[in-house]
Amino acid sequence: MTTVAVLAEPPRPGLVLSSLVETSPLSETEAAELYEAMLKDAALAVSRSGGELLVNYRADDDLPDEYVEDLSAEDELREIVADAVGDLDDVRFEPQVGSTFSARAGNTVTHLLREEEVSSAAVVTPTVPQLGRPHIDTAAMKLRSSQVVVGPSTEGRVFYAGFTEPIDFTDAYETPEIQTLAERADDADLSFEYLQMLPVVETGADLATLVPILRSRVEVERLVPKHTTTLVFEWGLSVEEVDGVLELVRD
């Protein structure tokens, strides 16, 4: 069984997806709602897989003062994940440790592999709404024969990174993430394997990539991430050609 850590922040306006707000028609509040929906879809995918779901959250004392609220980050995320998966008995919640994403991911993976002696540990971004149970289970299968398994996304990013042995995580998520992680695996003489590519949603261009995929899947009655897809249709998001350029628009 792979322990899959979803590195999450409380979905508060201004705290999450700031680049998406700057490059899309979405407001800060809507971006936070989208982050929450994608987090629900990611948590649901992991909970339905053969892996163990660990929500690795950014705690209140690690947040800028303006984003600290009466409801703690942990309690907020517990409510969100419970709304997605129901019973939380099999879901772990632990605070992130580290000042950067690389440090937080590295501390989590290294602790799980060395201190808890799990067979494999993975880090997932919550901004990959198309992540499904088959992706998690395929990664677990690949981790039986490869020591590092990575799920690539657009622009050199990754949505999943799984390990049976730790690497040097110092700046391991330096862009382009996929290349840096491969170099660190090679430096440690670890075998390396890939998952299929999936889009992450962090910018307007990312959302413009995702929206037609979701709309097409609804059109032909295929499975979709229900929470994210619901918002796309509620907000009337679509992609149209404007002056010869494809742009994200809303009704």
Side-chain angles (χ1 to χ4, degrees):
M1 176 188 295
T2 301
T3 300
V4 182
V6 179
L7 267 63
E9 299 183 280
R12 295 171 183 172
L15 177 65
V16 296
L17 297 180
S18 57
S19 294
L20 179 61
V21 175
E22 295 168 0
T23 56
S24 80
L26 300 189
S27 67
E28 287 187 346
T29 298
E30 290 169 331
E33 291 177 18
L34 180 61
Y35 183 94
E36 178 177 333
M38 293 190 292
L39 172 58
K40 287 181 178 179
D41 287 326
L44 190 59
V46 178
S47 70
R48 287 175 170 173
S49 74
E52 178 189 27
L53 173 58
L54 165 61
V55 179
N56 203 205
Y57 63 90
R58 194 171 172 190
D60 296 271
D61 57 5
D62 191 36
L63 296 174
D65 291 342
E66 62 268 31
Y67 299 117
V68 176
E69 300 180 357
D70 292 338
L71 183 65
S72 72
E74 179 181 359
D75 288 343
E76 182 175 1
L77 289 167
R78 282 183 175 274
E79 290 181 2
I80 291 168
V81 174
D83 186 53
V85 308
D87 193 345
L88 296 180
D89 286 348
D90 295 326
V91 182
R92 295 171 56 183
F93 290 82
E94 294 181 1
Q96 298 174 8
V97 178
S99 58
T100 66
F101 188 89
S102 293
R104 292 164 184 161
N107 286 332
T108 297
V109 169
T110 302
H111 172 79
L112 289 169
L113 292 175
R114 290 183 173 169
E115 303 301 324
E116 297 192 16
E117 297 182 343
V118 301
S119 59
S120 56
V123 171
V124 167
T125 172
T127 56
V128 55
Q130 283 191 279
L131 181 72
R133 179 178 62 187
H135 305 108
I136 302 296
D137 290 340
T138 296
M141 289 290 291
K142 289 178 179 288
L143 283 165
R144 295 180 183 179
S145 56
S146 298
Q147 293 161 304
V148 181
V149 174
V150 172
S153 189
T154 55
E155 298 183 350
R157 292 170 292 182
V158 301
F159 66 86
Y160 176 103
F163 308 84
T164 61
E165 295 288 342
I167 60 172
D168 178 3
F169 281 98
T170 306
D171 299 326
Y173 280 81
E174 189 77 18
T175 55
E177 297 170 2
I178 187 73
Q179 181 177 329
T180 308
L181 287 166
E183 290 171 350
R184 296 301 172 82
D186 186 58
D187 290 342
D189 197 26
L190 301 178
S191 54
F192 195 89
E193 188 55 86
Y194 299 89
L195 299 175
Q196 72 178 80
M197 180 178 284
L198 290 177
V200 295
V201 178
E202 298 172 342
T203 68
D206 297 335
L207 188 55
T209 296
L210 177 71
V211 165
I213 296 173
L214 297 184
R215 285 189 169 274
S216 72
R217 293 185 69 86
V218 169
E219 187 69 27
V220 297
E221 299 181 347
R222 299 293 178 87
L223 289 175
V224 293
K226 66 176 184 178
H227 299 96
T228 303
T229 304
T230 296
L231 287 186
V232 166
F233 279 82
E234 282 184 358
W235 293 339
L237 295 177
S238 61
V239 172
E240 296 180 359
E241 185 174 342
V242 179
D243 298 327
V245 179
L246 292 178
E247 291 187 3
L248 183 69
V249 298
R250 64 191 308 175
D251 295 343

